[in-house]
Amino acid sequence: MNPSTKIFLTGHRGMVGSAMHRALLAKGCDNLALRTRQELDLCDAAAVHAALGAEKPEVVIVGAARVGGIHANNTYPAEFIHENLASAHNLIHLSWKHGVKRLLFLGSSCIYPREAAQPLTEASLLTGPLEPTNEPYAIAKIAGLKLCQYYRKQYGVLYHSAMPTNLYGPGDNYHPENSHVLPALLRRFHEATQNGAPDVTLWGTGSPLREFLHVDDLAAGCLHLLGLDNPPDWVNIGYGSDVTIKEVAEIIRDVTGFQGELKWDTSRPDGTPRKLMSSDIIRDTGWEPKIGLREGIEQTYQSFKDELAAGTLRG
Ligand SMILES: NC(=O)c1ccc[n+]([C@@H]2O[C@H](COP(=O)([O-])OP(=O)(O)OC[C@H]3O[C@@H](n4cnc5c(N)ncnc54)[C@H](OP(=O)(O)O)[C@@H]3O)[C@@H](O)[C@H]2O)c1
């Protein structure tokens, strides 16, 4: 991507958006339009129209969305489908209206059917029922992906999508109930260590398998896609292997120095039994992850402590 290209990066305060921001600046791409949610609510079509008209970007990166773990999806289903549908439609439709030539939309691995064969391929989209615990969010993400696909087909604009696996890294949301599993575990083990607790109780059975990708690898993957002349309509971005929740909990126990016992609250939902993505297509275009899980968790724990000390920890 040409460093002088005018890029509108949404969600730059979020985990993915801030990683994209770091990656763009590292590549000398500093001709950026940025707005906080307070400055621009992406669910407000008139405000999005005005912002695109004022900034006239050449590229739009959709890093903003209403995101959360199993508990948040279960508790706020209407908000999750409304906010993610509205913000995706506003950005994709109005970007086209304003002549934006290129747009990258971010979805998630939950777009794929609950029972689809693992690893999940791009071709398994819409071949079966979704995981009920996050269906509202998944449907909004599928709609965004399809908006890009059909605006590209009808109008010839280069709108395309990336489907990341579970992400973690600096700037994550550590809300005790609404966050994703990895940041929730990091916070819980940190607090247990600080308080000298004898044990930590974790949700579910510990047996679900999950794939985790460091957000800086994801950002590099997105910039890689934005550099392709003919990217796929949608493509997975994953780490390539998965671990059980029990295994990642044990890595986090080690990294935080917790000495106590692990207990499992099996009355809490496990979610999808396994969610490993096939990343063959993006790997065939020359991208692969660089940050290993243990190294990534060590780095993320350091940024967690820094954010805590600085009073900037989210959640
Ligand atoms: N985290 C993951 O494991 C994961 C996995 C796969 C895909 N993704 C995708 O990656 C993208 C970013 O996720 P993330 O983890 O970076 O989430 P995040 O940390 O919660 O960041 C989302 C950002 O979007 C902003 N935002 C939300 N609704 C908005 C609205 N209506 N108007 C303006 N700004 C709004 C938020 O603003 P505030 O700071 O004001 O809340 C926040 O800065 C999403 O599309 C998500 O689906 C994430």
Side-chain angles (χ1 to χ4, degrees):
M1 190 145 45
N2 177 332
S4 65
T5 302
K6 179 71 183 270
I7 302 168
F8 198 133
L9 170 62
T10 69
H12 73 288
R13 290 265 188 87
M15 176 176 67
V16 170
S18 54
M20 293 292 301
H21 195 191
R22 290 192 300 273
L24 286 164
L25 294 178
K27 284 204 180 283
C29 299
D30 56 7
N31 188 5
L32 302 176
L34 306 170
R35 297 283 193 286
T36 65
R37 179 209 292 265
Q38 291 66 34
E39 292 163 337
L40 174 63
D41 177 357
L42 296 167
C43 296
D44 177 342
V48 172
H49 185 58
L52 289 168
E55 294 290 352
K56 297 185 177 35
E58 296 159 81
V59 174
V60 169
I61 300 174
V62 186
R66 174 74 184 271
V67 178
I70 294 175
H71 177 78
N73 276 272
N74 265 339
T75 311
Y76 312 106
E79 293 170 30
F80 270 72
I81 192 165
H82 161 63
E83 292 176 27
N84 286 307
L85 270 177
S87 58
H89 178 266
N90 288 341
L91 278 168
I92 295 163
H93 177 66
L94 294 168
S95 288
W96 168 70
K97 276 277 192 193
H98 283 274
V100 174
K101 297 274 180 299
R102 188 149 196 168
L103 179 147
L104 178 64
F105 176 74
L106 285 169
S108 169
S109 57
C110 65
I111 65 167
Y112 295 116
R114 179 186 159 89
E115 308 298 339
Q118 308 272 336
L120 299 163
T121 63
E122 289 81 351
S124 66
L125 183 67
L126 296 175
T127 58
L130 298 165
E131 162 61 38
T133 48
N134 49 23
E135 187 187 79
Y137 171 78
I139 286 180
K141 288 300 182 183
I142 293 169
L145 177 161
K146 288 294 175 182
L147 276 163
C148 288
Q149 182 184 6
Y150 294 123
Y151 274 64
R152 183 178 183 177
K153 184 172 183 204
Q154 180 172 350
Y155 304 121
V157 288
L158 205 43
Y159 293 8
H160 53 110
S161 301
M163 300 299 129
T165 189
N166 297 307
L167 303 170
Y168 70 100
D172 207 341
N173 174 359
Y174 291 92
H175 187 282
E177 296 259 312
N178 295 339
S179 63
H180 285 120
V181 61
L182 198 151
L185 290 176
L186 209 54
R187 180 174 192 154
R188 199 164 305 163
F189 277 99
H190 174 78
E191 289 171 352
T193 307
Q194 298 295 306
N195 307 334
D199 55 58
V200 165
T201 300
L202 306 172
W203 290 359
T205 62
S207 62
L209 285 156
R210 291 289 179 271
E211 178 186 25
F212 296 102
L213 180 72
H214 192 283
V215 72
D216 288 342
D217 275 331
L218 181 264
C222 288
L223 290 192
H224 171 79
L225 288 175
L226 284 164
L228 299 178
D229 294 335
N230 185 22
D233 278 327
W234 73 94
V235 68
N236 296 344
I237 307 188
Y239 183 68
S241 60
D242 52 7
V243 290
T244 64
I245 296 295
K246 187 167 183 299
E247 285 166 324
V248 71
E250 282 161 358
I251 294 172
I252 293 174
R253 176 179 56 186
D254 285 1
V255 167
T256 55
F258 180 69
Q259 303 298 319
E261 197 195 336
L262 268 60
K263 291 186 174 175
W264 296 92
D265 174 358
T266 55
S267 71
R268 296 272 189 169
D270 266 343
T272 307
R274 184 176 198 194
K275 200 160 58 172
L276 176 64
M277 301 182 95
S278 162
S279 297
D280 293 351
I281 294 177
I282 193 170
R283 282 176 181 254
D284 289 348
T285 68
W287 171 88
E288 61 179 27
K290 303 241 178 335
I291 304 170
L293 186 59
R294 179 156 189 126
E295 172 203 353
I297 290 175
E298 284 168 353
Q299 188 251 28
T300 303
Y301 185 44
Q302 187 53 55
S303 59
F304 167 87
K305 290 187 281 185
D306 297 346
E307 290 158 22
L308 199 56
T312 59
L313 192 77
R314 295 175 59 215

